[in-house]
Amino acid sequence: MNEPVLARLHHLMTLREEVESLAGVGPWTPAADWCDGDTHLELHLDVPGVQPDSLELLEEGDTVTVAGQRPELTRLLHAERPSGTFRRTFTFPEPVVPQSGQASLSGGVLTVKFEKRHPTINVTAHHDDTPGED
């Protein structure tokens, strides 16, 4: 191979190593689920290791933004878990009552409940089995 091709290949390998070393630091994307709770919607966000006082929740119109920070560990020998800040914005899957979000953190999962504007009502059909009414 000629010198320019080897130089470019070396440069690409160096860039790849730099990108891989940065992969564990800053912005990351925690997994999230929406659940239907009949009278409310629940947003579940996996945030293990995130400092509770770093969590922020902002409702605006038909969206909610969740942000926080997981501190970077020092003296890492091997790193797979991302650290640094995250910020995710979600669109409500159904209309909710503005500013109704109630958050709780348990087992590394942030759960935010929002009151639905139009709750789902489970109607159970009632059959009257009174004799003689057919």
Side-chain angles (χ1 to χ4, degrees):
M1 291 188 161
N2 62 23
E3 192 66 29
V5 172
L6 286 176
R8 283 189 297 214
L9 184 58
H10 178 70
H11 180 68
L12 286 174
M13 294 301 287
T14 302
L15 285 174
R16 178 178 169 214
E17 289 172 9
E18 289 173 4
V19 168
E20 287 176 354
S21 71
L22 292 174
V25 178
W28 57 286
T29 306
D33 296 319
W34 279 107
C35 294
D36 185 338
D38 293 333
T39 60
H40 58 276
L41 294 176
E42 292 180 1
L43 175 63
H44 299 271
L45 202 68
D46 289 345
V47 292
V50 171
Q51 300 299 318
D53 59 344
S54 78
L55 288 168
E56 298 176 16
L57 186 70
L58 177 63
E59 283 184 57
E60 286 186 309
D62 64 348
T63 65
V64 59
T65 299
V66 182
Q69 181 174 2
R70 180 162 47 202
E72 184 175 343
L73 299 175
T74 58
R75 303 188 62 168
L76 285 171
L77 299 175
H78 177 79
E80 291 183 5
R81 300 178 323 130
S83 60
T85 60
F86 75 88
R87 177 175 300 279
R88 291 205 60 189
T89 299
F90 303 92
T91 300
F92 292 111
E94 295 180 35
V96 299
V97 174
Q99 305 306 312
S100 65
Q102 297 292 316
S104 63
L105 182 63
S106 178
V109 178
L110 176 66
T111 300
V112 189
K113 291 184 178 184
F114 301 93
E115 187 179 335
K116 285 185 183 180
R117 184 169 288 156
H118 309 289
T120 304
I121 300 171
N122 289 332
V123 177
T124 307
H126 178 70
H127 297 287
D128 192 326
D129 295 331
T130 307
E133 292 186 17
D134 285 335

